[in-house]
Coordinates of all heavy atoms in Angstrom, one line a residue:
M294 N 30.3 174.9 139.7 CA 29.8 175.8 138.7 C 28.5 175.2 138.1 O 27.5 176.0 137.9 CB 30.8 176.0 137.6 CG 30.4 176.8 136.4 SD 30.3 178.5 136.9 CE 30.1 179.3 135.4
K295 N 28.4 173.9 137.8 CA 27.2 173.3 137.3 C 26.0 173.4 138.3 O 24.9 173.7 137.9 CB 27.5 171.9 136.8 CG 28.2 171.7 135.6 CD 28.4 170.3 135.2 CE 29.3 170.2 134.0 NZ 29.4 168.8 133.6
K296 N 26.3 173.2 139.6 CA 25.3 173.3 140.6 C 24.8 174.7 140.7 O 23.6 174.9 140.8 CB 25.8 172.8 141.9 CG 26.1 171.4 142.1 CD 26.5 171.0 143.4 CE 26.7 169.5 143.6 NZ 27.2 169.1 144.9
T297 N 25.6 175.7 140.5 CA 25.2 177.1 140.7 C 24.2 177.4 139.5 O 23.2 178.1 139.7 CB 26.4 178.0 140.6 OG1 27.2 177.7 141.7 CG2 26.0 179.6 140.7
L298 N 24.6 177.1 138.3 CA 23.8 177.3 137.1 C 22.5 176.5 137.2 O 21.4 177.0 136.9 CB 24.5 176.8 135.8 CG 25.7 177.7 135.4 CD1 26.4 177.1 134.2 CD2 25.2 179.1 135.0
A299 N 22.6 175.3 137.7 CA 21.3 174.6 137.9 C 20.3 175.2 138.9 O 19.1 175.3 138.7 CB 21.6 173.1 138.3
L300 N 20.9 175.6 140.0 CA 20.1 176.3 141.0 C 19.5 177.7 140.5 O 18.3 178.0 140.7 CB 20.9 176.6 142.2 CG 21.3 175.4 143.1 CD1 22.2 175.8 144.2 CD2 20.0 174.8 143.7
A301 N 20.3 178.4 139.7 CA 19.8 179.6 139.1 C 18.6 179.3 138.1 O 17.7 180.1 138.0 CB 21.0 180.3 138.4
F302 N 18.8 178.3 137.3 CA 17.8 177.9 136.4 C 16.5 177.5 137.1 O 15.4 178.0 136.7 CB 18.3 176.7 135.5 CG 17.2 176.3 134.5 CD1 16.9 177.0 133.4 CD2 16.6 175.1 134.8 CE1 15.9 176.5 132.6 CE2 15.6 174.6 133.9 CZ 15.2 175.4 132.8
V303 N 16.6 176.7 138.2 CA 15.4 176.3 138.9 C 14.8 177.5 139.6 O 13.5 177.7 139.6 CB 15.8 175.2 140.0 CG1 14.7 175.0 140.9 CG2 16.1 174.0 139.3
A304 N 15.6 178.4 140.1 CA 15.0 179.6 140.7 C 14.2 180.5 139.8 O 13.2 181.0 140.0 CB 16.2 180.4 141.4
S305 N 14.8 180.6 138.5 CA 14.1 181.4 137.5 C 12.7 180.7 137.1 O 11.8 181.4 136.9 CB 15.0 181.6 136.3 OG 15.2 180.4 135.6
L306 N 12.7 179.4 137.1 CA 11.5 178.7 136.8 C 10.5 178.9 137.8 O 9.2 179.1 137.5 CB 11.7 177.3 136.6 CG 12.4 176.8 135.3 CD1 12.7 175.3 135.3 CD2 11.7 177.3 134.1
L307 N 10.9 178.9 139.1 CA 9.9 179.2 140.2 C 9.4 180.6 140.3 O 8.3 180.9 140.7 CB 10.6 178.8 141.5 CG 10.9 177.4 141.7 CD1 11.8 177.1 143.0 CD2 9.7 176.4 141.8
A308 N 10.2 181.5 139.7 CA 9.8 182.9 139.7 C 8.8 183.3 138.7 O 8.0 184.2 138.7 CB 11.0 183.8 139.6
M309 N 8.8 182.5 137.5 CA 7.9 182.7 136.4 C 6.4 182.8 136.8 O 5.7 183.8 136.4 CB 8.2 181.8 135.3 CG 9.5 182.0 134.6 SD 9.8 180.7 133.4 CE 8.9 181.4 132.0
P310 N 5.8 181.8 137.5 CA 4.4 182.0 137.8 C 4.2 183.3 138.7 O 3.1 183.9 138.4 CB 4.1 180.7 138.6 CG 5.2 179.7 138.1 CD 6.4 180.6 137.9
A311 N 5.1 183.6 139.5 CA 4.9 184.8 140.3 C 4.9 186.0 139.4 O 4.1 187.0 139.6 CB 6.0 184.9 141.4
F312 N 5.7 186.0 138.4 CA 5.7 187.2 137.5 C 4.4 187.3 136.8 O 3.8 188.4 136.7 CB 6.9 187.0 136.5 CG 6.8 188.0 135.4 CD1 7.2 189.3 135.6 CD2 6.4 187.6 134.1 CE1 7.2 190.3 134.6 CE2 6.4 188.6 133.1 CZ 6.8 189.9 133.3
A313 N 3.8 186.2 136.3 CA 2.6 186.2 135.6 C 1.4 186.6 136.5 O 0.5 187.4 136.1 CB 2.2 184.8 135.1
A314 N 1.5 186.4 137.8 CA 0.5 186.7 138.7 C 0.5 188.2 139.0 O -0.6 188.7 139.3 CB 0.7 185.9 140.0
D315 N 1.6 188.8 138.8 CA 1.7 190.3 139.1 C 1.5 191.2 137.9 O 1.6 192.4 138.0 CB 3.1 190.6 139.7 CG 3.2 189.9 141.1 OD1 2.1 189.7 141.7 OD2 4.3 189.7 141.6
V316 N 1.3 190.6 136.7 CA 1.3 191.4 135.5 C 0.0 192.3 135.4 O 0.0 193.3 135.1 CB 1.3 190.5 134.3 CG1 1.0 191.2 133.0 CG2 2.7 189.8 134.2
C317 N -1.1 191.7 135.8 CA -2.5 192.4 135.7 C -3.0 192.9 137.0 O -3.9 192.4 137.4 CB -3.4 191.5 135.0 SG -2.9 190.9 133.4
N318 N -2.4 194.0 137.5 CA -3.0 194.6 138.6 C -3.8 195.9 138.2 O -3.4 197.0 138.4 CB -1.8 195.0 139.5 CG -1.1 193.8 140.1 OD1 -1.7 192.9 140.4 ND2 0.2 194.0 140.4
V319 N -4.9 195.6 137.6 CA -5.7 196.7 137.0 C -6.9 196.9 137.9 O -7.7 195.9 138.2 CB -6.2 196.3 135.6 CG1 -7.2 197.3 135.1 CG2 -5.0 196.1 134.6
P320 N -7.2 198.1 138.4 CA -8.4 198.3 139.1 C -9.7 198.0 138.3 O -9.8 198.2 137.1 CB -8.4 199.7 139.5 CG -7.0 200.2 139.2 CD -6.4 199.3 138.3
A321 N -10.7 197.5 138.9 CA -12.0 197.1 138.3 C -12.6 198.2 137.4 O -13.0 197.9 136.3 CB -12.9 196.5 139.3
D322 N -12.4 199.4 137.9 CA -13.0 200.5 137.1 C -12.3 200.9 135.9 O -12.7 201.6 135.1 CB -13.2 201.8 138.1 CG -11.9 202.3 138.6 OD1 -10.9 201.5 138.8 OD2 -11.8 203.5 138.7
K323 N -11.0 200.4 135.7 CA -10.2 200.7 134.6 C -10.3 199.5 133.5 O -9.8 199.7 132.4 CB -8.8 201.0 135.0 CG -8.7 202.2 135.8 CD -7.4 202.9 135.6 CE -7.4 204.1 136.5 NZ -6.8 205.2 135.9
A324 N -10.7 198.4 134.0 CA -10.8 197.3 133.0 C -12.0 197.3 132.1 O -13.0 197.8 132.3 CB -11.0 195.9 133.9
Q325 N -11.6 197.0 130.8 CA -12.5 196.9 129.8 C -13.3 195.6 129.9 O -12.8 194.6 130.5 CB -12.0 197.0 128.4 CG -11.3 198.4 128.1 CD -10.8 198.5 126.7 OE1 -11.6 198.4 125.8 NE2 -9.5 198.8 126.6
S326 N -14.5 195.4 129.3 CA -15.2 194.2 129.4 C -14.7 193.1 128.5 O -14.0 193.4 127.5 CB -16.7 194.5 129.1 OG -16.8 194.6 127.6
K327 N -15.0 192.0 128.9 CA -14.6 190.7 128.1 C -15.3 190.8 126.8 O -14.7 190.3 125.7 CB -15.0 189.4 128.8 CG -14.2 189.2 130.1 CD -14.7 188.0 130.8 CE -14.1 187.9 132.2 NZ -14.7 186.8 132.9
D328 N -16.4 191.4 126.6 CA -17.1 191.5 125.3 C -16.3 192.3 124.3 O -16.3 192.1 123.2 CB -18.6 192.1 125.5 CG -19.4 191.1 126.2 OD1 -19.2 189.8 126.1 OD2 -20.4 191.5 126.9
V329 N -15.6 193.4 124.9 CA -14.8 194.3 124.0 C -13.6 193.5 123.5 O -13.3 193.5 122.3 CB -14.4 195.6 124.8 CG1 -13.4 196.4 123.9 CG2 -15.5 196.4 125.2
L330 N -13.0 192.7 124.4 CA -11.9 191.8 124.0 C -12.4 190.8 122.9 O -11.7 190.7 121.9 CB -11.3 191.1 125.2 CG -10.2 190.1 124.8 CD1 -9.0 190.8 124.1 CD2 -9.6 189.4 126.1
K331 N -13.5 190.2 123.1 CA -14.1 189.2 122.2 C -14.2 189.8 120.8 O -13.9 189.3 119.7 CB -15.4 188.7 122.8 CG -15.9 187.6 121.8 CD -17.2 187.0 122.4 CE -17.7 185.9 121.4 NZ -19.0 185.3 121.9
A332 N -14.9 191.1 120.8 CA -15.1 191.8 119.6 C -13.7 192.1 118.8 O -13.6 192.0 117.6 CB -15.9 193.0 119.8
Q333 N -12.8 192.5 119.6 CA -11.4 192.8 119.1 C -10.8 191.6 118.4 O -10.3 191.7 117.3 CB -10.5 193.3 120.1 CG -9.1 193.6 119.7 CD -8.3 194.1 120.9 OE1 -8.6 195.1 121.5 NE2 -7.2 193.4 121.1
L334 N -10.9 190.4 119.1 CA -10.3 189.2 118.6 C -11.1 188.7 117.3 O -10.5 188.3 116.4 CB -10.3 188.2 119.7 CG -9.4 188.5 120.8 CD1 -9.4 187.4 121.9 CD2 -7.9 188.6 120.4
E335 N -12.4 188.8 117.3 CA -13.2 188.4 116.3 C -12.9 189.2 115.0 O -12.9 188.7 113.9 CB -14.7 188.3 116.6 CG -15.0 187.2 117.5 CD -16.5 187.1 118.1 OE1 -17.1 188.2 118.0 OE2 -16.8 186.2 118.6
K336 N -12.7 190.5 115.2 CA -12.3 191.4 114.1 C -11.1 191.0 113.5 O -10.8 191.2 112.3 CB -12.3 192.9 114.7 CG -11.9 193.9 113.7 CD -11.8 195.3 114.3 CE -11.4 196.3 113.2 NZ -11.0 197.5 113.9
D337 N -10.1 190.5 114.3 CA -8.8 190.0 113.7 C -9.0 188.5 113.2 O -8.0 188.0 112.9 CB -7.8 190.0 114.9 CG -7.5 191.4 115.3 OD1 -7.6 192.3 114.5 OD2 -6.9 191.5 116.5
G338 N -10.2 188.1 113.1 CA -10.4 186.7 112.5 C -10.3 185.5 113.5 O -10.3 184.4 113.0
W339 N -10.3 185.8 114.8 CA -10.3 184.7 115.7 C -11.8 184.3 116.0 O -12.7 185.0 116.0 CB -9.7 185.2 117.1 CG -8.3 185.5 117.0 CD1 -7.5 186.0 116.0 CD2 -7.3 185.3 118.1 NE1 -6.2 186.2 116.5 CE2 -6.1 185.8 117.7 CE3 -7.5 184.8 119.4 CZ2 -5.0 185.8 118.5 CZ3 -6.4 184.9 120.3 CH2 -5.1 185.3 119.8
T340 N -11.8 182.9 116.3 CA -13.1 182.3 116.8 C -12.9 182.1 118.3 O -12.1 181.2 118.7 CB -13.4 181.0 116.1 OG1 -13.4 181.2 114.7 CG2 -14.7 180.4 116.6
V341 N -13.6 182.9 119.0 CA -13.4 182.8 120.6 C -14.3 181.8 121.1 O -15.5 181.8 120.9 CB -13.7 184.2 121.1 CG1 -13.5 184.2 122.7 CG2 -12.7 185.3 120.5
R342 N -13.7 180.9 121.9 CA -14.4 179.8 122.6 C -14.8 180.3 124.0 O -15.9 180.1 124.5 CB -13.6 178.5 122.7 CG -13.4 177.9 121.3 CD -12.7 176.6 121.5 NE -12.0 176.3 122.8 CZ -10.9 175.7 122.9 NH1 -10.3 175.2 121.9 NH2 -10.3 175.6 124.1
Q343 N -13.8 180.9 124.7 CA -14.1 181.3 126.1 C -13.1 182.4 126.5 O -11.9 182.4 126.1 CB -13.9 180.1 127.0 CG -14.1 180.4 128.4 CD -13.8 179.2 129.3 OE1 -13.2 178.2 128.9 NE2 -14.4 179.3 130.6
I344 N -13.5 183.3 127.3 CA -12.6 184.3 127.9 C -12.9 184.3 129.4 O -14.1 184.4 129.8 CB -12.8 185.7 127.4 CG1 -12.5 185.8 125.9 CG2 -11.9 186.7 128.2 CD1 -12.9 187.1 125.2
K345 N -11.8 184.0 130.3 CA -12.1 183.9 131.7 C -11.0 184.8 132.4 O -10.0 185.2 131.8 CB -12.0 182.5 132.1 CG -10.7 181.8 131.9 CD -10.8 180.3 132.4 CE -9.4 179.7 132.5 NZ -9.5 178.3 133.1
D346 N -11.3 185.0 133.7 CA -10.3 185.7 134.5 C -9.3 184.8 134.9 O -9.5 183.7 135.4 CB -11.1 186.4 135.7 CG -12.0 187.5 135.3 OD1 -11.5 188.3 134.5 OD2 -13.0 187.5 135.8
Q347 N -8.0 185.2 134.8 CA -6.9 184.4 135.3 C -5.9 185.3 136.0 O -5.1 186.0 135.4 CB -6.2 183.8 134.1 CG -5.0 182.9 134.4 CD -5.3 181.6 135.2 OE1 -6.5 181.3 135.4 NE2 -4.3 181.0 135.7
K348 N -6.0 185.2 137.3 CA -5.0 186.0 138.2 C -5.0 187.5 137.7 O -4.0 188.1 137.7 CB -3.6 185.4 138.2 CG -3.6 184.1 138.7 CD -2.2 183.5 138.8 CE -2.3 182.2 139.4 NZ -0.9 181.6 139.7
G349 N -6.1 188.1 137.6 CA -6.3 189.4 137.2 C -6.2 189.8 135.8 O -6.5 190.9 135.3
C350 N -5.8 188.8 134.9 CA -5.7 189.1 133.5 C -6.9 188.3 132.8 O -7.7 187.6 133.6 CB -4.5 188.4 132.9 SG -2.9 189.0 133.5
Y351 N -7.2 188.7 131.6 CA -8.1 187.9 130.8 C -7.3 186.8 130.1 O -6.3 187.1 129.4 CB -8.8 188.8 129.8 CG -9.8 189.8 130.4 CD1 -10.1 190.9 129.7 CD2 -10.4 189.6 131.6 CE1 -11.0 191.9 130.1 CE2 -11.3 190.5 132.2 CZ -11.6 191.6 131.4 OH -12.4 192.6 131.9
E352 N -7.9 185.6 130.1 CA -7.3 184.5 129.4 C -8.3 184.0 128.3 O -9.4 183.7 128.6 CB -7.0 183.3 130.3 CG -6.3 182.2 129.6 CD -5.8 181.1 130.6 OE1 -6.4 181.0 131.7 OE2 -4.8 180.5 130.2
A353 N -7.9 184.2 127.0 CA -8.8 183.8 125.9 C -8.4 182.6 125.3 O -7.2 182.3 125.1 CB -8.7 184.9 124.9
Y354 N -9.4 181.7 125.1 CA -9.2 180.4 124.4 C -9.9 180.6 123.1 O -11.1 180.9 123.0 CB -9.9 179.3 125.2 CG -9.3 179.1 126.5 CD1 -9.7 179.8 127.7 CD2 -8.3 178.1 126.7 CE1 -9.2 179.6 129.0 CE2 -7.7 177.9 128.0 CZ -8.1 178.6 129.1 OH -7.6 178.4 130.3
A355 N -9.2 180.5 122.0 CA -9.6 180.7 120.7 C -8.9 180.0 119.6 O -7.9 179.3 119.9 CB -9.6 182.2 120.4
V356 N -9.5 180.1 118.4 CA -8.7 179.6 117.2 C -8.5 180.9 116.4 O -9.4 181.7 116.0 CB -9.6 178.6 116.4 CG1 -8.9 178.1 115.1 CG2 -9.9 177.4 117.3
N357 N -7.2 181.0 116.0 CA -6.9 182.2 115.2 C -7.2 182.1 113.7 O -7.7 181.1 113.3 CB -5.4 182.7 115.4 CG -4.4 181.8 114.7 OD1 -4.8 180.9 114.0 ND2 -3.1 182.0 115.0
A358 N -7.0 183.2 113.0 CA -7.4 183.2 111.6 C -6.7 182.1 110.8 O -7.2 181.7 109.7 CB -7.1 184.6 110.9
A359 N -5.5 181.7 111.3 CA -4.8 180.6 110.5 C -5.2 179.2 110.9 O -4.7 178.2 110.4 CB -3.3 180.8 110.7
G360 N -6.2 179.1 111.9 CA -6.7 177.8 112.3 C -5.9 177.2 113.5 O -6.2 176.1 113.9
K361 N -5.0 178.0 114.0 CA -4.2 177.5 115.2 C -5.0 177.8 116.5 O -5.5 178.9 116.7 CB -2.8 178.2 115.3 CG -2.0 177.8 116.4 CD -0.6 178.5 116.3 CE 0.3 178.2 117.5 NZ 1.4 179.0 117.5
R362 N -5.0 176.8 117.4 CA -5.6 177.0 118.7 C -4.7 178.0 119.6 O -3.5 177.8 119.6 CB -5.8 175.7 119.5 CG -7.0 175.0 119.1 CD -7.3 174.0 120.1 NE -7.0 172.6 119.5 CZ -7.1 171.5 120.2 NH1 -7.4 171.6 121.6 NH2 -6.9 170.4 119.7
M363 N -5.4 178.9 120.2 CA -4.6 179.9 121.0 C -5.1 179.9 122.4 O -6.3 179.7 122.7 CB -4.8 181.3 120.4 CG -4.6 181.4 118.9 SD -2.8 181.1 118.5 CE -2.1 182.7 119.1
E364 N -4.2 180.2 123.3 CA -4.5 180.3 124.7 C -3.6 181.5 125.2 O -2.4 181.3 125.4 CB -4.3 179.1 125.5 CG -4.6 179.2 126.9 CD -4.3 177.9 127.7 OE1 -4.5 176.8 127.2 OE2 -3.9 177.9 128.9
N365 N -4.2 182.7 125.3 CA -3.3 183.8 125.5 C -3.9 184.7 126.7 O -5.1 184.8 126.8 CB -3.2 184.8 124.3 CG -2.5 184.0 123.2 OD1 -3.2 183.4 122.3 ND2 -1.2 184.1 123.1
L366 N -2.9 185.5 127.4 CA -3.4 186.3 128.4 C -3.4 187.8 127.8 O -2.5 188.1 127.0 CB -2.4 186.3 129.5 CG -2.3 185.1 130.4 CD1 -1.2 185.1 131.4 CD2 -3.7 184.8 131.1
F367 N -4.4 188.6 128.3 CA -4.6 190.0 127.9 C -4.7 190.9 129.1 O -5.3 190.4 130.1 CB -5.8 190.1 127.0 CG -5.7 189.3 125.7 CD1 -6.0 188.0 125.6 CD2 -5.3 190.0 124.5 CE1 -5.9 187.3 124.4 CE2 -5.1 189.3 123.3 CZ -5.4 188.0 123.2
D368 N -4.2 192.1 128.9 CA -4.3 193.1 130.0 C -5.7 193.6 129.9 O -6.2 194.0 128.9 CB -3.3 194.2 129.7 CG -3.4 195.3 130.8 OD1 -4.3 196.0 130.8 OD2 -2.5 195.3 131.6
P369 N -6.5 193.6 131.0 CA -7.9 194.0 131.0 C -8.0 195.5 130.7 O -9.1 195.9 130.3 CB -8.4 193.8 132.5 CG -7.4 192.7 133.0 CD -6.0 193.0 132.3
E370 N -7.0 196.3 131.0 CA -7.1 197.8 130.6 C -6.9 198.0 129.3 O -7.7 198.8 128.5 CB -6.2 198.5 131.6 CG -6.3 200.0 131.4 CD -5.4 200.8 132.4 OE1 -4.5 200.2 133.1 OE2 -5.6 202.0 132.5
T371 N -5.8 197.5 128.7 CA -5.3 197.8 127.4 C -5.8 196.9 126.3 O -5.8 197.2 125.1 CB -3.8 198.0 127.3 OG1 -3.2 196.8 127.5 CG2 -3.3 199.0 128.2
L372 N -6.1 195.7 126.8 CA -6.5 194.6 125.9 C -5.4 194.1 125.0 O -5.6 193.4 124.0 CB -7.8 194.8 125.1 CG -9.0 195.2 125.9 CD1 -10.2 195.4 125.0 CD2 -9.3 194.1 126.9
K373 N -4.1 194.4 125.4 CA -3.0 194.0 124.7 C -2.6 192.6 125.1 O -2.7 192.2 126.3 CB -1.8 194.9 124.9 CG -1.9 196.2 124.3 CD -0.7 197.1 124.5 CE -0.8 198.4 123.8 NZ 0.3 199.4 123.9
M374 N -2.1 191.7 124.2 CA -1.7 190.3 124.4 C -0.4 190.4 125.3 O 0.5 191.2 124.9 CB -1.5 189.6 123.2 CG -1.3 188.1 123.4 SD -0.9 187.2 121.9 CE -2.2 187.7 120.8
L375 N -0.3 189.7 126.3 CA 0.8 189.6 127.1 C 1.7 188.5 126.8 O 1.3 187.4 126.4 CB 0.4 189.5 128.6 CG -0.5 190.6 129.1 CD1 -1.0 190.3 130.5 CD2 0.2 192.0 129.1
D376 N 3.1 188.7 126.9 CA 4.1 187.7 126.6 C 4.4 186.9 127.8 O 5.6 187.2 128.3 CB 5.2 188.3 125.9 CG 6.2 187.4 125.3 OD1 5.8 186.2 125.0 OD2 7.4 187.7 125.1
V377 N 3.5 186.4 128.5 CA 3.8 185.5 129.7 C 3.1 184.1 129.6 O 2.1 184.1 128.8 CB 3.3 186.2 131.0 CG1 4.1 187.4 131.2 CG2 1.8 186.4 131.0
E378 N 3.5 183.2 130.2 CA 3.0 181.9 130.2 C 1.8 181.9 131.2 O 2.0 182.3 132.4 CB 4.0 180.8 130.6 CG 5.1 180.6 129.6 CD 4.6 180.0 128.3 OE1 3.6 179.1 128.3 OE2 5.1 180.4 127.2
A379 N 0.8 181.2 130.8 CA -0.4 181.0 131.7 C -0.1 179.8 132.7 O 0.5 178.9 132.3 CB -1.7 180.8 131.0
D380 N -0.5 179.9 133.9 CA -0.3 178.7 134.8 C -1.3 177.6 134.5 O -2.5 177.9 134.3 CB -0.5 179.2 136.3 CG 0.5 180.1 136.7 OD1 1.6 180.2 136.0 OD2 0.4 180.8 137.8

Protein backbone atom coordinates (compact mmCIF):
# COMPACT_ATOMS: atom_id res chain seq x y z
CA MET A 1 0.00 0.00 0.00
CA LYS A 2 2.79 2.43 0.92
CA LYS A 3 4.61 1.67 -2.34
CA THR A 4 1.47 2.36 -4.35
CA LEU A 5 0.93 5.69 -2.62
CA ALA A 6 4.57 6.65 -3.07
CA LEU A 7 4.46 5.79 -6.78
CA ALA A 8 1.24 7.78 -7.23
CA PHE A 9 2.81 10.76 -5.49
CA VAL A 10 5.95 10.63 -7.66
CA ALA A 11 3.84 10.28 -10.81
CA SER A 12 1.80 13.34 -9.87
CA LEU A 13 4.98 15.37 -9.31
CA LEU A 14 6.30 14.35 -12.71
CA ALA A 15 3.04 15.39 -14.36
CA MET A 16 3.05 18.91 -12.87
CA PRO A 17 5.63 20.46 -15.24
CA ALA A 18 3.78 18.96 -18.19
CA PHE A 19 0.57 20.55 -16.95
CA ALA A 20 2.24 23.97 -16.68
CA ALA A 21 3.63 23.59 -20.18
CA ASP A 22 0.16 22.98 -21.64
CA VAL A 23 -1.63 25.84 -19.90
CA CYS A 24 -0.88 28.66 -22.34
CA ASN A 25 -1.63 27.48 -25.85
CA VAL A 26 -2.61 30.93 -27.11
CA PRO A 27 -2.19 31.83 -30.79
CA ALA A 28 0.11 34.83 -31.28
CA ASP A 29 -2.68 36.92 -32.82
CA LYS A 30 -4.80 36.53 -29.65
CA ALA A 31 -2.03 37.35 -27.15
CA GLN A 32 -1.96 40.77 -25.55
CA SER A 33 1.39 42.54 -25.30
CA LYS A 34 3.68 42.34 -22.29
CA ASP A 35 3.35 46.13 -21.98
CA VAL A 36 -0.39 45.73 -21.31
CA LEU A 37 0.35 43.18 -18.57
CA LYS A 38 3.01 45.49 -17.10
CA ALA A 39 0.56 48.41 -17.03
CA GLN A 40 -2.10 46.21 -15.38
CA LEU A 41 0.31 45.07 -12.67
CA GLU A 42 1.62 48.59 -12.05
CA LYS A 43 -1.98 49.81 -11.70
CA ASP A 44 -2.36 47.19 -8.95
CA GLY A 45 0.69 48.61 -7.16
CA TRP A 46 3.30 46.15 -8.38
CA THR A 47 6.83 47.16 -9.34
CA VAL A 48 7.64 45.05 -12.39
CA ARG A 49 11.26 43.99 -12.87
CA GLN A 50 10.84 41.71 -15.90
CA ILE A 51 8.23 39.90 -17.96
CA LYS A 52 9.38 37.04 -20.15
CA ASP A 53 7.89 34.19 -22.15
CA GLN A 54 7.78 30.90 -20.28
CA LYS A 55 6.42 27.94 -22.26
CA GLY A 56 3.74 30.03 -23.92
CA CYS A 57 2.79 31.97 -20.78
CA TYR A 58 4.03 35.32 -19.54
CA GLU A 59 6.15 35.07 -16.41
CA ALA A 60 6.31 38.27 -14.39
CA TYR A 61 9.01 39.03 -11.85
CA ALA A 62 7.84 41.85 -9.61
CA VAL A 63 7.35 43.22 -6.12
CA ASN A 64 3.70 43.53 -5.11
CA ALA A 65 2.10 46.43 -3.24
CA ALA A 66 2.83 44.73 0.10
CA GLY A 67 6.55 44.54 -0.74
CA LYS A 68 6.59 40.78 -1.39
CA ARG A 69 8.63 39.44 -4.30
CA MET A 70 6.41 37.76 -6.85
CA GLU A 71 7.08 35.32 -9.69
CA ASN A 72 3.82 34.46 -11.41
CA LEU A 73 2.57 33.04 -14.69
CA PHE A 74 -0.12 34.87 -16.68
CA ASP A 75 -2.27 33.80 -19.60
CA PRO A 76 -1.21 35.94 -22.62
CA GLU A 77 -4.79 36.23 -23.91
CA THR A 78 -6.68 37.11 -20.72
CA LEU A 79 -3.74 38.33 -18.61
CA LYS A 80 -5.18 36.39 -15.68
CA MET A 81 -2.73 35.03 -13.12
CA LEU A 82 -2.42 31.27 -13.37
CA ASP A 83 -2.34 28.95 -10.40
CA VAL A 84 0.54 26.77 -11.56
CA GLU A 85 4.14 26.42 -10.54
CA ALA A 86 6.79 27.80 -12.90
CA ASP A 87 9.56 25.38 -13.88
